[in-house]
Amino acid sequence: MPITAIHADITRQPVDAIVNAANSSLLGGGGVDGAIHRAAGPDLVHECRMLGGCKTGEAKLTRGYRLPAKHIIHTVGPVWRGGADGEPALLASCYRRSLEVAVAAGVRSIAFPSISTGIYGYPIEHASRVAIDTVSGFLADHPEIESVTFCCFSASDLAVYEQALKTVNP
Ligand code: AR6
């Protein structure tokens, strides 16, 4: 089963790449972004300064530094403004572009946080659907990605992902 959901801290995941829910500066922040920068160490922000930021829906690669993961893929999710401002397409783009960057880097295992559903306010029931539909559609054409893990930070978030996963992992 290439797509799974777990309740865990993404900074501890022993995968080829973890995805960061960053902001457009790529210079760190709160939430999972802050946790990743703290765990990776100060060399990460030095590399991020060279990247010139990142647009919403785009993704950029760095090394993982002190993380177990070799790479970090930084993506910028949309801020939720009610859902009629292009949020679903931008969120889908985050997952798709992150996976495209992963394939280009030779990544075979990747873990995602629940992008945009913290500080950016995207309702998790909607966001998890976009995440799972986009990832499963991508994997159908890219067997080189062997595993995708949705790394949920609470038991209640995990329950939402497990429910949504029933449609792709019946
Ligand atoms: N492992 C896995 N998930 C985590 C972790 C962790 N260590 N820490 C938090 N989460 P958020 P966003 C979950 O707010 O909504 C930052 O300041 C969290 O519970 O991190 O995309 C950036 O710089 C939630 O489910 O990201 C941006 O300014 C999920 O990660 C802004 O926040 C995403 O929540 C991005 O907001």
Side-chain angles (χ1 to χ4, degrees):
M1 203 160 49
I3 307 180
T4 51
I6 60 171
H7 176 195
D9 178 349
I10 201 166
T11 65
R12 312 295 292 270
Q13 292 311 299
V15 288
D16 294 340
I18 66 167
V19 175
N20 181 17
N23 61 64
S24 58
S25 78
L26 295 186
L27 299 180
V32 71
D33 193 9
I36 288 171
H37 275 268
R38 278 193 300 279
D43 289 342
L44 174 58
V45 79
H46 293 143
E47 184 175 357
C48 285
R49 281 202 192 99
M50 320 279 275
L51 296 177
C54 184
K55 292 188 180 132
T56 303
E58 269 299 326
K60 293 194 176 177
L61 183 81
T62 66
R63 291 166 54 194
Y65 298 97
R66 295 180 191 159
L67 297 180
K70 184 173 177 202
H71 302 288
I72 305 166
I73 297 168
H74 305 262
T75 189
V76 182
V79 176
W80 178 257
R81 293 195 173 89
D85 203 25
E87 295 94 330
L90 287 167
L91 187 61
S93 176
C94 288
Y95 285 95
R96 201 164 39 245
R97 289 290 304 128
S98 294
L99 289 165
E100 286 169 0
V101 166
V103 166
V107 165
R108 293 183 169 276
S109 57
I110 183 168
F112 283 95
S114 185
I115 299 165
S116 282
T117 68
I119 292 163
Y120 282 178
Y122 206 124
I124 191 166
E125 284 78 8
H126 296 307
S128 59
R129 269 264 61 86
V130 171
I132 288 164
D133 289 351
T134 307
V135 168
S136 63
F138 188 92
L139 293 192
D141 299 329
H142 294 88
E144 60 271 41
I145 300 276
E146 291 167 1
S147 84
V148 176
T149 306
F150 289 108
C151 198
C152 299
F153 205 49
S154 70
S156 59
D157 285 359
L158 176 61
V160 173
Y161 270 80
E162 282 180 334
Q163 187 62 33
L165 270 172
K166 284 182 184 159
T167 58
V168 293
N169 289 333

